[in-house]
Amino acid sequence: GLGMRMSGLTNQQVMVVKILAHKKEMTLTSLCSELSLTKATVSGIIKRLEEAGYIEKTKKDKDKRNTYITLSYKGKRYLLIKCNKKAVE
């Protein structure tokens, strides 16, 4: 349980981080369909990840309605550390 407490991320949050690492940027809607979860659930996950500094939200000039979600530096670093630990273990 130490690894979990250290990163403070739930399995669902880790999944979102991994998807964002792969896709680079996504809208909430595309994340919902990727995860097969409701908008309310994914919004909650995103909110917590944003508060923890793992992701960033940006609006594009052309498309004000859609918010694009991307990994922050911290989110990318988290994945590198997590993946490297997996490779070592």
Side-chain angles (χ1 to χ4, degrees), residues 22-86:
H22 182 64
K23 304 264 191 189
K24 304 297 180 239
E25 68 169 24
M26 288 181 94
T27 60
L28 184 64
T29 312
S30 55
L31 260 175
C32 290
S33 52
E34 187 82 27
L35 290 159
S36 305
L37 294 170
T38 64
K39 230 175 191 162
T41 304
V42 178
S43 290
I45 297 167
I46 293 303
K47 185 172 176 264
R48 284 187 291 277
L49 282 172
E50 191 181 19
E51 283 166 1
Y54 288 99
I55 60 162
E56 286 162 359
K57 285 161 138 185
T58 47
K59 283 197 189 305
K60 299 271 166 91
D61 289 337
K62 287 190 288 259
D63 191 0
K64 285 273 191 279
R65 285 169 314 171
N66 273 332
T67 301
Y68 290 86
I69 302 155
T70 54
L71 275 188
S72 66
Y73 174 74
K74 184 179 175 181
K76 289 173 190 156
R77 232 182 94 84
Y78 166 79
L79 261 192
L80 276 172
I81 293 163
K82 197 173 173 63
C83 291
N84 287 343
K85 271 193 193 142
K86 283 266 193 311

